């Protein structure tokens, strides 16, 4: 039986966070045994905000190494960098010609991001269409993402329908694969906001490659409430609920049993233990990451192998798309 196809990725801004790890990468590693998986370092998406070229280049390599360090095996999966596959930008253009701007106007991420800047770029507006191209090129069945990407996935599905209505069946209809727990890890400084790698306050997130001391400090200084009894209440005790969610996902223990084990204890006890859990989770990841970063030629070789595999698949779809819409293939 042929395996179902998975595609996902992360945009190369800032550093991968605990939110990215829990909401996405940790699940990617679990899926790699059962599915044909393609995981992408989304560098073209990063260009929707201003980037320092040297820093961007370094970060692309770093993200690629972090994917592998988190447990993604380059032999089992296709691990590639988006800009190494020109078909992404090419298919995006075709898809923009089918996407009504009313649909793009509804994208909440676009609204939020454009409110924070007075230079609203067309690339930011088209960002979800590039995501659709990423997914459709590989005929992905499932797209493992966190909650914040749900709307973009819905748009990808709409775009498939627009294309099929005009040109006939061409793409696999993708489905979002969102974890039940941990799909939205919150900021450590403002538990009403999502933990984001582009947050200006670096205490609000934990990076996968943060040194242990810094992880401990960030968790211990995370914002909770002024009560003392440990209980899980995402509305009234959002900060603590967020910590308990992280605790539960990383240990595999259910929230009730965690809460029960802290009866008669203070929030501080939860924080101390959680800091240790996060440090221990990332310890092997960080060791592997630093090892990988010592040999950049090896990383580039793996990137090239990933790009070759991805290009072969993507070009098949693109050739078919060009034929369907009436372009001349040579
Ligand atoms: P990005 O880089 O913002 O996030 C990568 C993945 O991490 C998830 N995530 C979270 N999950 C739980 N809690 C959080 N606080 C949290 N923050 C982020 C995201 O939902 C995502 O799954 N546009 C995408 C990257 C992308 C992509 C794609 C994804 C480009 N093309 C095609 C899927 C398919 C992005 O910026 O994700």
């Amino acid at each position: 039986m042929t395996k179902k196809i998975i595609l996902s990725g992360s945009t190369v801004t800032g550093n991968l966070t605990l939110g990215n790890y829990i909401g996405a990468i940790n699940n990617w590693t679990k899926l790699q045994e059962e599915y044909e998986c393609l995981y992408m370092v989304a560098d073209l998406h990063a260009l929707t905000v201003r980037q320092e070229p040297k820093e961007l280049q370094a970060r692309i390599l770093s993200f690629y190494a972090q994917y592998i360090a988190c447990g993604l095996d380059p032999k089992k999966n296709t691990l590639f960098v988006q800009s190494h596959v020109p078909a992404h930008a090419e298919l995006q253009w075709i898809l923009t010609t089918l996407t009504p701007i009313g649909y793009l106007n509804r994208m909440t991420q676009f609204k939020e991001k454009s409110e924070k800047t007075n230079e609203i770029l067309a690339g930011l507006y088209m960002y979800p269409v590039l995501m659709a191209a990423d997914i459709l090129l590989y005929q992905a069945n499932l797209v493992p993402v966190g909650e914040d990407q749900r709307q973009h996935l819905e748009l990808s599905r709409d775009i498939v329908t627009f294309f099929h209505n005009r040109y006939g069946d061409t793409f696999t209809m993708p489905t979002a694969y969102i974890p039940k727990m941990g799909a939205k890890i919150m900021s450590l400084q403002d538990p009403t906001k999502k933990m984001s790698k582009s947050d200006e306050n670096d205490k609000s997130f934990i990076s996968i490659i943060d040194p242990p001391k810094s992880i401990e400090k960030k968790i211990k200084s995370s914002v909770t409430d002024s009560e003392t009894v440990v209980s899980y209440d995402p509305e009234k005790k959002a900060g603590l609920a967020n910590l308990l969610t992280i605790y539960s996902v990383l240990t595999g223990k259910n929230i009730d049993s965690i809460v029960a084990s802290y009866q008669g204890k203070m929030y501080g006890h939860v924080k101390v233990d959680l800091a240790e859990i996060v440090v221990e989770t990332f310890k092997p990841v960080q060791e592997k990451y630093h090892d990988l970063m010592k040999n950049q030629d090896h990383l580039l070789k793996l990137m090239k192998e990933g790009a070759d595999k991805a290009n072969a698949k993507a070009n098949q779809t693109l050739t078919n798309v060009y034929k369907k819409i009436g372009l001349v293939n040579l």
Side-chain angles (χ1 to χ4, degrees):
M1 213 179 70
T2 51
K3 288 181 171 178
K4 285 198 171 172
I5 299 173
I6 287 206
L7 176 123
S8 202
S10 182
T11 301
V12 195
T13 40
N15 262 317
L16 287 168
T17 68
L18 181 60
N20 298 128
Y21 181 81
I22 291 179
I25 302 175
N26 193 30
N27 295 319
W28 301 354
T29 58
K30 291 182 190 147
L31 297 164
Q32 65 186 343
E33 306 299 335
E34 216 182 309
Y35 296 90
E36 180 185 340
C37 300
L38 297 109
Y39 295 119
M40 173 187 77
V41 173
D43 54 350
L44 297 178
H45 275 103
L47 299 173
T48 55
V49 290
R50 205 173 283 248
Q51 298 287 344
E52 190 51 52
K54 277 217 162 70
E55 276 174 25
L56 176 62
Q57 204 177 53
R59 217 177 300 123
I60 293 167
L61 271 164
S62 168
F63 265 51
Y64 195 84
Q66 286 179 61
Y67 279 14
I68 301 173
C70 284
L72 294 176
D73 182 342
K75 291 208 178 71
K76 286 189 190 144
N77 308 285
T78 302
L79 301 185
F80 70 102
V81 176
Q82 190 181 29
S83 65
H84 293 159
V85 183
H88 289 251
E90 294 177 72
L91 181 62
Q92 183 203 11
W93 171 249
I94 305 297
L95 300 181
T96 62
T97 67
L98 292 161
T99 308
I101 60 168
Y103 281 68
L104 297 178
N105 290 337
R106 289 209 289 268
M107 294 295 117
T108 49
Q109 275 211 357
F110 171 71
K111 286 194 223 166
E112 281 165 22
K113 287 185 184 170
S114 53
E115 271 163 16
K116 288 187 201 141
T117 168
N118 39 23
E119 187 191 36
I120 304 171
L121 302 172
L124 186 62
Y125 193 56
M126 295 302 171
Y127 181 113
V129 188
L130 181 57
M131 263 187 77
D134 299 338
I135 296 164
L136 303 186
L137 270 179
Y138 301 97
Q139 308 287 357
N141 303 92
L142 292 178
V143 184
V145 285
E147 185 57 46
D148 61 333
Q149 298 298 329
R150 188 188 288 277
Q151 196 188 30
H152 290 157
L153 258 294
E154 285 304 319
L155 180 73
S156 297
R157 292 170 63 88
D158 289 335
I159 292 176
V160 170
T161 305
F162 298 143
F163 194 98
H164 287 182
N165 285 345
R166 194 161 332 159
Y167 300 112
D169 279 5
T170 306
F171 300 115
T172 302
M173 184 61 88
T175 304
Y177 185 91
I178 297 176
K180 286 198 186 74
M181 280 280 287
K184 192 171 183 188
I185 298 300
M186 310 310 275
S187 152
L188 297 179
Q189 289 300 309
D190 176 358
T192 63
K193 275 190 354 195
K194 176 190 86 161
M195 181 182 284
S196 164
K197 54 178 140 63
S198 43
D199 200 310
E200 277 156 19
N201 179 356
D202 106 307
K203 282 185 175 164
S204 72
F205 58 83
I206 289 171
S207 294
I208 291 178
I209 52 176
D210 268 347
K213 281 266 166 297
S214 148
I215 295 178
E216 279 163 19
K217 238 174 150 173
K218 288 180 187 181
I219 293 182
K220 284 180 191 160
S221 63
S222 65
V223 171
T224 43
D225 54 85
S226 54
E227 284 192 37
T228 49
V229 179
V230 174
S231 65
Y232 180 75
D233 185 341
E235 280 188 11
K236 293 202 193 102
K237 300 179 173 201
L240 181 66
N242 188 42
L243 300 182
L244 291 169
T245 302
I246 298 169
Y247 195 130
S248 168
V249 178
L250 295 185
T251 58
K253 294 184 183 156
N254 70 44
I255 298 238
D256 287 347
S257 74
I258 298 168
V259 167
S261 66
Y262 286 96
Q263 288 321 294
K265 294 190 180 159
M266 315 281 277
Y267 289 8
H269 292 105
V270 178
K271 289 184 177 178
V272 169
D273 292 347
L274 180 61
E276 196 182 323
I277 291 163
V278 177
V279 166
E280 284 306 310
T281 302
F282 287 154
K283 199 169 159 193
V285 173
Q286 296 188 354
E287 279 168 13
K288 184 146 190 213
Y289 168 75
H290 292 299
D291 241 27
L292 284 160
M293 289 302 281
K294 280 186 207 141
N295 188 349
Q296 303 216 342
D297 286 345
H298 178 59
L299 281 178
L300 291 171
K301 187 171 158 275
L302 293 175
M303 269 186 191
K304 172 81 173 72
E305 286 167 9
D308 288 347
K309 282 200 268 177
N311 270 303
K313 232 175 146 63
N315 288 337
Q316 263 181 16
T317 304
L318 191 69
T319 304
N320 188 32
V321 166
Y322 280 2
K323 199 165 104 199
K324 287 263 170 90
I325 63 180
L327 303 184
V328 176
N329 279 316
L330 290 177

